Short mmCIF file of all heavy atoms in Angstrom, two decimals:
data_model
loop_
_atom_site.label_atom_id
_atom_site.label_comp_id
_atom_site.label_asym_id
_atom_site.label_seq_id
_atom_site.Cartn_x
_atom_site.Cartn_y
_atom_site.Cartn_z
N LEU A 204 2.61 -0.73 12.48
CA LEU A 204 2.69 -1.78 11.48
C LEU A 204 4.16 -2.15 11.26
O LEU A 204 5.05 -1.44 11.70
CB LEU A 204 2.08 -1.32 10.15
CG LEU A 204 0.63 -0.83 10.18
CD1 LEU A 204 0.15 -0.50 8.78
CD2 LEU A 204 -0.29 -1.83 10.84
N LYS A 205 4.39 -3.26 10.55
CA LYS A 205 5.75 -3.74 10.32
C LYS A 205 6.06 -3.70 8.83
O LYS A 205 5.43 -4.40 8.03
CB LYS A 205 5.88 -5.18 10.83
CG LYS A 205 7.25 -5.78 10.61
CD LYS A 205 7.27 -7.22 11.06
CE LYS A 205 8.63 -7.84 10.78
NZ LYS A 205 8.63 -9.27 11.06
N LYS A 206 7.05 -2.88 8.46
CA LYS A 206 7.45 -2.78 7.06
C LYS A 206 8.22 -4.04 6.67
O LYS A 206 9.20 -4.39 7.32
CB LYS A 206 8.31 -1.54 6.85
CG LYS A 206 8.57 -1.20 5.41
CD LYS A 206 9.33 0.12 5.33
CE LYS A 206 9.14 0.78 4.01
NZ LYS A 206 9.76 2.12 4.00
N VAL A 207 7.78 -4.72 5.60
CA VAL A 207 8.40 -6.00 5.24
C VAL A 207 9.03 -6.00 3.86
O VAL A 207 9.57 -7.03 3.44
CB VAL A 207 7.37 -7.15 5.35
CG1 VAL A 207 6.94 -7.33 6.81
CG2 VAL A 207 6.18 -6.94 4.44
N ALA A 208 9.00 -4.88 3.17
CA ALA A 208 9.62 -4.79 1.84
C ALA A 208 10.03 -3.36 1.56
O ALA A 208 9.43 -2.42 2.10
CB ALA A 208 8.64 -5.27 0.77
N GLU A 209 11.05 -3.22 0.74
CA GLU A 209 11.46 -1.88 0.31
C GLU A 209 10.38 -1.29 -0.58
O GLU A 209 9.75 -2.02 -1.36
CB GLU A 209 12.79 -1.95 -0.45
CG GLU A 209 13.97 -2.26 0.44
CD GLU A 209 14.18 -1.20 1.51
OE1 GLU A 209 14.16 0.00 1.19
OE2 GLU A 209 14.34 -1.58 2.69
N PRO A 210 10.15 0.02 -0.50
CA PRO A 210 9.13 0.62 -1.35
C PRO A 210 9.51 0.57 -2.82
O PRO A 210 10.69 0.62 -3.16
CB PRO A 210 9.06 2.06 -0.85
CG PRO A 210 10.35 2.31 -0.18
CD PRO A 210 10.82 1.00 0.36
N VAL A 211 8.51 0.46 -3.67
CA VAL A 211 8.72 0.59 -5.10
C VAL A 211 8.39 2.04 -5.45
O VAL A 211 7.28 2.50 -5.20
CB VAL A 211 7.83 -0.37 -5.91
CG1 VAL A 211 7.94 -0.08 -7.41
CG2 VAL A 211 8.19 -1.81 -5.60
N ILE A 212 9.36 2.74 -5.99
CA ILE A 212 9.17 4.13 -6.40
C ILE A 212 9.41 4.22 -7.90
O ILE A 212 10.52 3.97 -8.37
CB ILE A 212 10.12 5.08 -5.65
CG1 ILE A 212 9.88 4.99 -4.14
CG2 ILE A 212 9.93 6.51 -6.14
CD1 ILE A 212 10.87 5.77 -3.29
N ALA A 213 8.36 4.52 -8.63
CA ALA A 213 8.44 4.69 -10.09
C ALA A 213 8.61 6.18 -10.36
O ALA A 213 7.68 6.96 -10.17
CB ALA A 213 7.19 4.15 -10.76
N LYS A 214 9.81 6.58 -10.77
CA LYS A 214 10.12 7.99 -10.96
C LYS A 214 9.80 8.45 -12.38
O LYS A 214 10.16 7.78 -13.35
CB LYS A 214 11.59 8.25 -10.66
CG LYS A 214 11.96 7.96 -9.23
CD LYS A 214 13.43 8.20 -8.98
CE LYS A 214 13.79 7.82 -7.56
NZ LYS A 214 15.20 7.92 -7.30
N GLU A 215 9.10 9.56 -12.47
CA GLU A 215 8.77 10.27 -13.71
C GLU A 215 7.92 9.47 -14.68
O GLU A 215 6.77 9.78 -14.87
CB GLU A 215 10.03 10.81 -14.36
CG GLU A 215 10.71 11.85 -13.50
CD GLU A 215 11.98 12.39 -14.13
OE1 GLU A 215 12.16 12.25 -15.35
OE2 GLU A 215 12.79 12.94 -13.37
N LYS A 216 8.46 8.45 -15.33
CA LYS A 216 7.68 7.61 -16.24
C LYS A 216 7.68 6.19 -15.71
O LYS A 216 8.68 5.71 -15.20
CB LYS A 216 8.31 7.62 -17.64
CG LYS A 216 8.18 8.93 -18.36
CD LYS A 216 8.71 8.80 -19.77
CE LYS A 216 8.50 10.12 -20.52
NZ LYS A 216 8.96 10.01 -21.90
N THR A 217 6.55 5.52 -15.86
CA THR A 217 6.47 4.14 -15.41
C THR A 217 7.10 3.25 -16.47
O THR A 217 6.70 3.29 -17.64
CB THR A 217 5.01 3.73 -15.17
OG1 THR A 217 4.45 4.63 -14.20
CG2 THR A 217 4.90 2.31 -14.68
N THR A 218 8.06 2.45 -16.06
CA THR A 218 8.77 1.56 -16.98
C THR A 218 8.30 0.12 -16.77
O THR A 218 7.64 -0.20 -15.77
CB THR A 218 10.28 1.62 -16.74
OG1 THR A 218 10.57 1.10 -15.43
CG2 THR A 218 10.81 3.05 -16.85
N SER A 219 8.68 -0.74 -17.70
CA SER A 219 8.37 -2.16 -17.54
C SER A 219 9.07 -2.72 -16.30
O SER A 219 8.54 -3.62 -15.64
CB SER A 219 8.75 -2.95 -18.79
OG SER A 219 10.12 -2.80 -19.06
N GLU A 220 10.23 -2.17 -15.96
CA GLU A 220 10.93 -2.60 -14.74
C GLU A 220 10.13 -2.22 -13.50
O GLU A 220 10.03 -3.00 -12.55
CB GLU A 220 12.32 -1.97 -14.67
CG GLU A 220 13.10 -2.40 -13.44
CD GLU A 220 14.48 -1.75 -13.37
OE1 GLU A 220 15.35 -2.13 -14.17
OE2 GLU A 220 14.66 -0.86 -12.51
N ASP A 221 9.55 -1.01 -13.48
CA ASP A 221 8.71 -0.58 -12.36
C ASP A 221 7.52 -1.52 -12.19
O ASP A 221 7.18 -1.92 -11.08
CB ASP A 221 8.19 0.85 -12.57
CG ASP A 221 9.28 1.90 -12.60
OD1 ASP A 221 10.29 1.74 -11.88
OD2 ASP A 221 9.12 2.88 -13.35
N LEU A 222 6.89 -1.86 -13.31
CA LEU A 222 5.73 -2.76 -13.25
C LEU A 222 6.14 -4.14 -12.75
O LEU A 222 5.43 -4.75 -11.95
CB LEU A 222 5.04 -2.83 -14.61
CG LEU A 222 4.41 -1.53 -15.09
CD1 LEU A 222 3.91 -1.67 -16.52
CD2 LEU A 222 3.30 -1.07 -14.17
N ALA A 223 7.29 -4.62 -13.21
CA ALA A 223 7.78 -5.93 -12.74
C ALA A 223 8.07 -5.90 -11.25
O ALA A 223 7.79 -6.87 -10.53
CB ALA A 223 9.03 -6.33 -13.53
N ARG A 224 8.63 -4.79 -10.76
CA ARG A 224 8.89 -4.68 -9.32
C ARG A 224 7.59 -4.65 -8.53
O ARG A 224 7.52 -5.17 -7.42
CB ARG A 224 9.75 -3.45 -9.02
CG ARG A 224 11.18 -3.60 -9.53
CD ARG A 224 12.09 -2.48 -9.12
NE ARG A 224 11.53 -1.18 -9.46
CZ ARG A 224 11.65 -0.09 -8.72
NH1 ARG A 224 12.33 -0.11 -7.60
NH2 ARG A 224 11.11 1.06 -9.11
N CYS A 225 6.54 -4.06 -9.10
CA CYS A 225 5.24 -4.05 -8.42
C CYS A 225 4.62 -5.45 -8.40
O CYS A 225 4.03 -5.86 -7.39
CB CYS A 225 4.31 -3.05 -9.08
SG CYS A 225 4.67 -1.34 -8.62
N VAL A 226 4.74 -6.18 -9.50
CA VAL A 226 4.26 -7.57 -9.51
C VAL A 226 4.98 -8.35 -8.42
O VAL A 226 4.36 -9.08 -7.63
CB VAL A 226 4.48 -8.22 -10.90
CG1 VAL A 226 4.29 -9.73 -10.83
CG2 VAL A 226 3.56 -7.60 -11.94
N GLU A 227 6.29 -8.18 -8.34
CA GLU A 227 7.09 -8.87 -7.32
C GLU A 227 6.68 -8.45 -5.91
O GLU A 227 6.60 -9.28 -5.00
CB GLU A 227 8.57 -8.58 -7.53
CG GLU A 227 9.47 -9.31 -6.58
CD GLU A 227 10.95 -9.03 -6.83
OE1 GLU A 227 11.30 -8.55 -7.92
OE2 GLU A 227 11.73 -9.28 -5.90
N LEU A 228 6.38 -7.17 -5.71
CA LEU A 228 5.95 -6.68 -4.41
C LEU A 228 4.66 -7.36 -3.98
O LEU A 228 4.55 -7.85 -2.85
CB LEU A 228 5.77 -5.16 -4.44
CG LEU A 228 5.37 -4.49 -3.13
CD1 LEU A 228 6.52 -4.54 -2.13
CD2 LEU A 228 4.97 -3.03 -3.39
N GLY A 229 3.68 -7.40 -4.86
CA GLY A 229 2.41 -8.05 -4.54
C GLY A 229 2.59 -9.53 -4.25
O GLY A 229 2.04 -10.07 -3.28
N MET A 230 3.39 -10.18 -5.08
CA MET A 230 3.63 -11.61 -4.90
C MET A 230 4.39 -11.88 -3.60
O MET A 230 4.07 -12.83 -2.88
CB MET A 230 4.44 -12.15 -6.09
CG MET A 230 4.48 -13.66 -6.16
SD MET A 230 5.42 -14.28 -7.58
CE MET A 230 4.55 -13.54 -8.94
N THR A 231 5.35 -11.04 -3.28
CA THR A 231 6.14 -11.22 -2.06
C THR A 231 5.27 -11.12 -0.82
O THR A 231 5.36 -11.96 0.09
CB THR A 231 7.28 -10.18 -1.99
OG1 THR A 231 8.15 -10.38 -3.10
CG2 THR A 231 8.06 -10.28 -0.70
N LEU A 232 4.42 -10.09 -0.76
CA LEU A 232 3.58 -9.96 0.43
C LEU A 232 2.58 -11.10 0.53
O LEU A 232 2.37 -11.65 1.61
CB LEU A 232 2.89 -8.60 0.48
CG LEU A 232 3.63 -7.66 1.42
CD1 LEU A 232 4.89 -7.11 0.84
CD2 LEU A 232 2.73 -6.63 1.98
N ALA A 233 1.96 -11.46 -0.58
CA ALA A 233 0.98 -12.55 -0.56
C ALA A 233 1.67 -13.87 -0.19
O ALA A 233 1.14 -14.63 0.63
CB ALA A 233 0.28 -12.67 -1.91
N ALA A 234 2.83 -14.14 -0.75
CA ALA A 234 3.54 -15.38 -0.43
C ALA A 234 3.97 -15.40 1.04
O ALA A 234 3.88 -16.44 1.71
CB ALA A 234 4.76 -15.54 -1.34
#
Side-chain angles (χ1 to χ4, degrees):
L204 304 184
K205 179 183 177 187
K206 191 175 203 174
V207 295
E209 289 299 312
V211 173
I212 300 174
K214 297 179 184 175
E215 296 180 19
K216 290 185 177 182
T217 302
T218 65
S219 58
E220 181 181 288
D221 296 326
L222 295 173
R224 290 186 308 143
C225 282
V226 167
E227 183 179 342
L228 182 69
M230 193 179 301
T231 298
L232 260 76

